Structure formats: C-alpha cells, structure tokens
C-alpha cells in the first residue's frame, strides 16, 4: 500500500491512527499521537490570517463597558497618522496569503477615506486575497458613495447591538443621538444599499439583560429581523474594569442566564423560529470539530501573533486585540510586538512574546493538562496577565476558565440528555 501513496498522505493516515510502520501497537499509538500533535501545532507556524487596524480611537458613543478606553471626538492625539500606503506595505510583510482585514476602533466609520484608501492599496499588493470587515456601532453618517464602495468591495460589518432596545440606549449611550434610534436608521440605510446580508451583530451581556431574561433578547432580535447574534460577557479591559462593578454579575448569575438562554434557543428551534447565538455556536463547533477552531483566545498554543496581529492608532503592533486593550490602560512597554516607522517594522521585545506563546500550551499548563475540556480550549495568556499578573494564571481563580467550563458543562449536559439534538447542531452550525 505504501508504495502507491505519497509521503504526505501516509503522514495524514498515520496521524489518524490508520497506518504505522511500527511493529507494536504501543509504538504505533505513540507515533500516531506524536504526528497528531505535530499536525495541530504546525497550524500556527504561518503568518497571521487576521489583521486588525485601528484608524482612530475616537468614538461617538460612551459605552459603559468600553474595553478599549475610547477617546472623545474632539481628540487630536488618537489618529493613525501614517499613510494608508505605509500601513498596506507593513501588512503585506506580515499577513498570510489569504487573510481577513478587520477595521477596529474607537469608531472606524469616522475615517471612511482612510478605510477606502487602505483597502485600495492592499488590493494593489494582494489582489482579492483578503476580505474586509468593519467593526462599528453605526453612529457616523455613511455617504452614498461609501455605501456603494462597501457593496462593490463586499465589505462585511460587525455591528454592536445589545440585544434589547432599552438596554442598548441606556448602556451604549451617545451624547449626539439616541443610540437605538440611530441603530435602526443606519440598518435601514444598509438595507436600502443591499448590504443587509453583510451585517453581523455583536452583543455584550450586562446585568440588566440578565435581569430581563433571554426571551427578551430573542423577541427583540426577531422584531428587527436579526436571526443570528454573537453574545459575549463583559471583558475585564479598559473602562469595563471600573463599570463592571455596576453592570456586571457573579459567575453563577451568568451561568444560570446561559442555561436559560440555551433553553430558549432550543424552544425557538422547536417552534420553527430561526434564531441562534454565534457565541454559543463557537463552543458547540469546538466540541464537534475542535480541529477547525480559529478563535485566537481558544487555541493551543495561543493564536497571539501567530493567528492575529493588530496595528494600533499609535503605530504599535500587538499580537491580539486584548493586548492592545491592556496596553491602553497600563502602557506596559513590553506589550507591543513591534512598531511601524514609515514602511519599516521595528521589532520590540520579541523574547518576551516568545515566553508568552511558550506559556500558552494547554497540554502542559497546570490543571489544563488534566481538564476534560482541554482539547476544546486554549489558555488566553493576555487575560491571565491582566487578571493575575502572569501568562499562566491560577486556573481555579480564572474568570476565563470559569466561563469556558460552565458553558461546556451546560452544552454537554443538554446534548447528553437529548435536549440538544444532532438536527439542531447541524442547523445552527450551518454557514
């Protein structure tokens, strides 16, 4: 058989335990495990496939849980001043052959010309080998020309919506407009420009949402025609480190909410309603296809700098969005990977970042190595640096671990007792 197969095919069969040149079962299993781990870890030895750019930290919203320490609209110190051509040249040096360009903020729609010019310069360098996503709260006006450009370039929008209109207006405040009314107006503009299919929604769960209950989220989304949303807990970065005391919740409160939320999603499916939360889908997908996991914070080793990089408004380059968030509040000079100067990349403390990555292998991290969920998880070193002061952290005190284990406990229980069926999973995870 081996003579008719190429080396790569043999290695793939060996990694899956179908083939071995060893004479004993023990050696065969050991070799298969070795090849499996090698295949898993080698996935991260390529250039980042997620490149984020922050053209401005200014924002027209004053969200209570802002993770990035937004800057006021009047600020003159929070703009990416380098020319788009310089940024494009730097991205060309570090990005994978096929990548996603995600424009972050602040509010990136405050700089539409920069976005257009950056994409134009990258098209010259990379052709159509990348997709474009803009993360926005939809505050700024969008001109007809900009909407037409987004349609031509097939730009996606990751739009902030806090699930329930009253909560959105209260927590995601703006001094310029009622944020929910503005949100609806902008959705209408996107719909008129035939861009509705390009819009995804992201929600941050606050105490008020938990108190109102998950049915309110599903009803409000259905009223707006939103069939899918990505929900996440409050993150411990930026302004959220202070406001979390007012709008946050305990581990048990969040876990109870998640279980009730999943119950409501199941009931919606049984009633024939089309609604799903992609935040829950992330963990379902990991359970069924862990090898397909591309979530930076849930990879082993961490996807930090290996799967993602972010060019900040100040020219600093970070290995993850969370690292730049932590830098905004701490100004720790060891956090930037590099800095763009002109079109050159100036390295920073590369040795320190090697230590971060080497500390992020869940397979040999204390208590991760004995956790049943280790194959479906990562170690999120930046979270532990922010919350406990080192890359590994003490797992029993880790909010990251609490969240991961709680949601997996809930999902596995409901899959095991038949509440979540294979038909539901296939339907929910279809793209």
């Amino acid at each position: 058989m081996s003579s008719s197969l190429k080396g790569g095919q043999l290695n793939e069969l060996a990694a899956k335990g179908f083939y071995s040149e060893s004479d004993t079962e023990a050696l065969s299993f050991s070799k298969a495990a070795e090849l499996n781990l090698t295949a898993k870890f080698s996935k991260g030895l390529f250039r980042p496939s997620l490149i984020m750019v922050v053209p401005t930290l200014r924002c027209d919203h004053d969200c209570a849980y802002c993770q990035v320490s937004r800057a006021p609209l009047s600020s003159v110190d929070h703009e990416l001043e380098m020319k788009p051509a310089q940024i494009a040249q730097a991205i060309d040096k570090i990005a994978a052959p096929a990548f996603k360009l995600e424009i972050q903020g602040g509010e990136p729609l405050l700089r539409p010309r920069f976005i257009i010019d950056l994409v134009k310069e990258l098209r010259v360098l990379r052709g159509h080998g990348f997709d474009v996503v803009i993360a926005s709260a939809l505050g700024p006006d969008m001109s007809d020309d900009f909407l037409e450009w987004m349609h031509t370039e097939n730009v996606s929008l990751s739009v902030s919506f806090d699930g329930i209109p009253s909560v959105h207006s209260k927590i995601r405040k703006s001094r310029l407009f009622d944020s929910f009314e503005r949100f609806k107006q902008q959705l209408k503009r996107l719909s008129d420009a035939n861009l509705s299919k390009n819009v995804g929604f992201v929600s941050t769960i606050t105490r008020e949402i938990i108190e109102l209950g998950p049915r309110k989220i599903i009803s409000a989304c259905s009223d707006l025609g939103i069939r899918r949303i990505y929900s996440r807990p409050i993150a411990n970065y930026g302004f959220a480190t202070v406001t979390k005391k007012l709008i946050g919740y305990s581990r048990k409160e969040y876990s109870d909410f998640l279980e009730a939320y999943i119950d409501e999603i199941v009931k919606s499916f049984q009633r024939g309603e089309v609604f799903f939360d992609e935040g829950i889908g992330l963990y379902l997908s990991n359970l069924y296809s862990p090898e397909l996991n591309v979530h930076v914070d849930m990879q082993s080793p961490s996807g930090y700098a290996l799967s993602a990089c972010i060019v900040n408004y100040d020219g600093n380059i970070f290995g993850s969005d969370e690292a730049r968030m932590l830098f905004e509040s701490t100004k720790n000079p060891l956090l930037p990977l590099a800095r763009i100067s002109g079109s050159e990349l100036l390295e920073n403390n590369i040795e320190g970042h090697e230590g971060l990555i080497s500390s992020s292998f869940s397979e040999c991290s204390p208590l991760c190595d004995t956790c049943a969920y280790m194959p479906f998880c990562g170690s999120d070193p930046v979270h532990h640096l922010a919350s406990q002061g080192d890359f590994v952290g003490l797992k029993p005190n880790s909010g990251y671990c609490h969240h991961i284990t709680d949601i997996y406990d809930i999902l596995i229980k409901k899959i095991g007792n038949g509440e979540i069926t294979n038909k539901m999973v296939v339907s929910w995870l279809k793209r």
Side-chain angles (χ1 to χ4, degrees):
M1 179 189 73
S2 62
S3 62
S4 63
L5 294 174
K6 296 179 181 179
Q9 292 172 316
L10 287 175
N11 288 338
E12 184 178 356
L13 287 171
K16 295 178 178 179
F18 290 111
Y19 165 78
S20 175
E21 295 178 351
S22 304
D23 294 329
T24 68
E25 184 177 345
L27 283 175
S28 175
F29 179 81
S30 176
K31 185 65 175 177
E34 178 186 332
L35 287 169
N36 202 1
L37 281 174
T38 301
K40 175 185 176 182
F41 295 148
S42 66
K43 288 180 181 179
L45 300 180
F46 303 99
R47 294 181 176 186
S49 57
L50 173 61
I51 305 295
M52 295 167 277
V53 178
V54 181
T56 181
L57 204 62
R58 296 183 301 122
C59 192
D60 52 5
H61 283 75
D62 299 306
C63 304
Y65 46 69
C66 181
Q67 304 169 42
V68 297
S69 304
R70 66 183 177 270
L73 285 172
S74 59
S75 175
V76 295
D77 300 321
H78 296 86
E79 302 284 286
L80 186 52
E81 295 180 350
M82 282 168 286
K83 294 180 180 179
Q86 295 173 308
I87 304 298
Q89 289 167 18
I91 291 173
D92 185 42
K93 293 178 180 179
I94 63 177
F99 67 96
K100 178 191 292 184
L101 175 67
E102 185 170 304
I103 312 296
Q104 288 268 5
E107 174 49 77
L109 290 182
L110 290 169
R111 297 198 67 187
R113 187 72 252 169
F114 177 93
I115 297 172
I116 292 172
D117 290 345
L118 175 60
V119 172
K120 179 181 177 181
E121 295 290 344
L122 275 170
R123 291 291 183 219
V124 173
L125 296 170
R126 289 297 190 97
H128 289 273
F130 65 95
D131 299 320
V132 183
V133 180
I134 300 174
S136 172
L138 295 185
D141 289 327
M142 295 178 288
S143 69
D144 291 340
D145 288 344
F146 186 71
L147 290 169
E148 183 178 349
W149 173 83
M150 283 200 293
H151 188 269
T152 301
E153 287 286 348
N154 197 30
V155 173
S156 297
L157 281 157
S158 178
V159 174
S160 302
F161 172 55
D162 285 339
I164 300 172
S166 60
V167 177
H168 187 88
S169 291
K170 180 179 178 180
I171 302 296
R172 190 173 286 277
K173 291 181 179 178
S174 173
R175 302 175 190 181
L176 304 177
F177 41 71
D178 178 279
S179 56
F180 178 67
E181 290 303 317
R182 182 65 165 176
F183 169 78
K184 285 199 301 181
Q185 292 165 6
Q186 297 287 62
L187 286 187
K188 175 67 164 56
R189 291 220 67 205
L190 291 169
S191 176
D192 291 343
N194 294 316
L195 285 165
S196 292
K197 63 180 177 60
N198 293 33
V199 181
F201 301 90
V202 179
S203 173
T204 301
I205 303 298
T206 54
R207 171 178 293 279
E208 193 161 348
I209 287 179
I210 287 178
E211 290 172 348
L212 289 170
R215 188 65 232 172
K216 285 277 189 179
I217 298 175
I218 297 173
S219 296
C221 287
S222 296
D223 290 344
L224 291 165
I226 296 172
R227 305 303 180 197
R228 285 182 175 251
I229 195 168
Y230 183 103
S231 295
R232 60 191 180 186
I234 298 171
N236 203 35
Y237 300 99
F239 296 140
T241 57
V242 177
T243 58
K244 194 172 183 179
K245 298 174 184 177
L246 301 174
I247 61 176
Y249 28 76
S250 69
R251 174 186 180 180
K252 185 177 187 308
E253 286 172 329
Y254 189 66
S255 178
D256 289 346
F257 167 80
L258 275 178
E259 183 155 16
Y261 190 20
I262 293 170
D263 287 341
E264 288 294 339
I265 291 173
V266 167
K267 291 175 185 176
S268 294
F269 182 89
Q270 293 168 338
R271 288 193 293 263
E273 299 171 6
V274 181
F275 178 84
F276 187 59
D277 195 300
E278 301 280 6
I280 295 166
L282 167 68
Y283 300 96
L284 263 181
S285 178
N286 283 350
L287 284 174
Y288 282 84
S289 304
E291 73 280 0
L292 300 180
N293 175 31
V294 295
H295 198 278
V296 174
D297 302 333
M298 295 184 66
Q299 295 176 349
S300 175
S302 170
Y304 180 92
L306 301 176
S307 297
C309 274
I310 181 163
V311 181
N312 204 21
Y313 70 92
D314 55 7
N316 282 319
I317 297 179
F318 298 91
S320 71
D321 202 12
E322 289 74 19
R324 70 109 176 186
M325 294 174 188
L326 186 58
F327 179 78
E328 285 302 320
S329 57
T330 65
K331 300 301 179 185
N332 184 335
L334 299 180
L335 283 169
L337 276 168
R339 182 175 177 82
I340 300 178
S341 179
S343 59
E344 297 299 315
L345 290 174
L346 306 179
E347 292 183 355
N348 190 32
N349 177 40
I350 296 301
E351 291 79 11
H353 297 280
E354 290 174 348
L356 182 154
I357 294 170
S358 66
S359 300
S360 70
F361 285 81
S362 300
E363 289 78 2
C364 52
S365 184
L367 297 184
C368 288
D369 57 345
T370 58
C371 178
Y373 300 137
M374 185 271 292
F376 319 111
C377 192
S379 64
D380 199 351
V382 177
H383 168 87
H384 291 109
L385 179 63
S387 60
Q388 299 190 38
D390 66 72
F391 298 137
V392 177
L394 186 62
K395 297 304 190 282
N397 297 335
S398 167
Y400 171 83
C401 291
H402 294 166
H403 173 66
I404 299 291
T405 55
D406 287 349
I407 192 167
Y408 279 142
D409 281 347
I410 294 167
L411 289 173
I412 287 176
K413 180 183 74 174
K414 293 185 180 299
I415 292 169
N417 64 21
E419 291 179 65
I420 293 179
T421 65
N422 287 340
K423 184 178 180 181
M424 291 175 186
V425 173
V426 170
S427 175
W428 291 335
L429 297 187
K430 275 194 306 188
R431 293 292 185 267

